[in-house]
Amino acid sequence: MSREKTAQLRKFVAPFEKADVKASVRQIANTIPPFILAWFLAYQALDVSIWLTIALSAVAAAFVIRTFIIFHDCTHGSFFKNKKANAVVGTITGIMTLFAYEKWKREHSIHHASSGNLDKRGVGDIWVMTIEEYVEASKWERFKYRMYRNPLVMFGIGPLFLVLISSRFNRKDARKKERNNTYLINFSLVAIYSLLIWVIGWQAFLIVQGTTMFIAGAFGIWLFYVQHTFEDSYFEDENEWDYVKAAVEGSSYYQLPKVLQWVTGNIGFHHVHHLSPRVPNYNLEKAHVSTPPLQQATTINIKSSLKSLRYKLYDAPNKTFVTFGDIKHLLGNSKTAQQ
């Protein structure tokens, strides 16, 4: 896709950047009440079977993911036309999904402004090292990176780290508004969780809420990971980096079954979202279908997306992801050179 063609894409999707209050309210109605119901049924099922509780917690987790998409749209100011409405709903859904609204809003905006930029990695994205960086890194740095990219760590410990640590603390230079929002959400979580534990007991709470949030968190990280980690994903140095190309060529179209597409709030149309974050989730598919050039984005499905687990390092000269095994010979050469 030429630079001239990609430059026109943002203009093509502009008509879809309008929030529809009725559609937004309808999405809240078909997401939050069902989550509360599924959570309650999961708790009630403890008297029947722990496995039934886990199954119903998985259903509740699906609605947590959908709730997060609402939260996500609010951080972009795309869910409602009104800025205050986005902030209020974003904070409430932040409490439900365990994310600090203002903090995540800032970090995610940085992700959008720098996705695929090799010189601006590190905030709001997945840790990616180039082959050159990995070869030159110390043994300790390589060990940390290998652990980070291990699926058991990324999708097992990752959700716990995000909700228990990363989202609970402000950055050192956070502004007052961001700090206060994080304090408000943390205080609300302590109050709500304390009440629930008092009412149903800590064991029941831990089983239902723990299972629900862990499943939702693991699947959420997977969505974020897979939509930027595919063989020919876009990465460039600062002087060559282009926002539109990074959106269309560095974000995939995750073609999911309709049920999962609904649960994930159309976020599989990630290339459209990165091209224009102002497009609300319920308009992403429309923008994709109405803009033929966007249909040329890298398309993955559930089966092909599993290949992304093999991709560990980015080969900058050849513009592709590679496995650790692909660069073993380089590590041997590195040791020889050091001797």
Side-chain angles (χ1 to χ4, degrees), residues 73-222:
D73 274 10
C74 288
T75 64
H76 284 296
S78 63
F79 199 65
F80 291 109
K81 298 176 182 178
N82 185 276
K83 184 177 180 180
K84 186 174 182 179
N86 281 310
V88 171
V89 173
T91 298
I92 293 173
T93 51
I95 294 170
M96 294 179 64
T97 57
L98 306 183
F99 283 93
Y101 173 74
E102 292 291 344
K103 180 179 187 293
W104 202 84
K105 177 181 177 181
R106 176 191 62 83
E107 293 179 350
H108 195 59
S109 66
I110 294 174
H111 163 69
H112 272 264
S114 61
S115 180
N117 190 324
L118 289 172
D119 296 315
K120 293 185 177 180
R121 288 166 288 164
V123 179
D125 55 16
I126 298 291
W127 185 12
V128 175
M129 291 182 77
T130 64
I131 293 176
E132 182 180 7
E133 290 168 344
Y134 185 77
V135 170
E136 294 179 353
S138 66
K139 289 184 178 180
W140 172 240
E141 196 70 15
R142 290 179 193 170
F143 173 77
K144 289 193 298 180
Y145 185 73
R146 291 181 77 99
M147 289 298 293
Y148 175 89
R149 302 289 295 200
N150 185 298
L152 294 178
V153 174
M154 183 173 289
F155 307 112
I157 299 177
L160 300 177
F161 176 79
L162 276 179
V163 300
L164 297 178
I165 299 176
S166 178
S167 295
R168 305 281 66 85
F169 299 96
N170 290 302
R171 60 193 173 101
K172 292 181 179 180
D173 59 342
R175 295 182 178 180
K176 184 177 180 181
K177 182 179 181 181
E178 182 179 324
R179 289 182 179 279
N180 288 342
N181 181 260
T182 301
Y183 297 151
L184 172 63
I185 289 176
N186 288 347
F187 176 81
S188 299
L189 285 171
V190 170
I192 294 170
Y193 281 21
S194 295
L195 178 62
L196 285 171
I197 290 171
W198 179 69
V199 173
I200 69 174
W202 70 267
Q203 296 97 330
F205 175 82
L206 186 61
I207 293 171
V208 177
Q209 182 67 357
T211 302
T212 297
M213 299 311 298
F214 180 80
I215 294 174
F219 195 72
I221 292 176
W222 168 253

Side-chain angles (χ1 to χ4, degrees), residues 12 14 23 25 76 114 123 149 218 239 260 331:
F12 292 157
V25 171
H76 284 296
S114 61
V123 179
R149 302 289 295 200
N239 59 340
L260 289 180
L331 294 179

Side-chain angles (χ1 to χ4, degrees), residues 256-274:
L256 295 168
K258 284 297 181 180
V259 172
L260 289 180
Q261 182 181 324
W262 185 84
V263 166
T264 58
N266 298 309
I267 202 61
F269 297 94
H270 212 61
H271 57 305
V272 182
H273 170 64
H274 262 264

Side-chain angles (χ1 to χ4, degrees), residues 6 10 14 32 35 39 54 64 78 112 124 132 175 196-197 218 245 260 282 284 293 302 311-312 316 320 323:
T6 56
R10 296 181 82 174
I32 296 180
F35 159 70
W39 200 100
I54 292 174
V64 170
S78 63
H112 272 264
E132 182 180 7
R175 295 182 178 180
L196 285 171
I197 290 171
K245 284 191 174 183
L260 289 180
Y282 43 76
L284 290 173
I302 293 178
Y311 302 140
K312 307 296 185 181
T320 185
T323 69

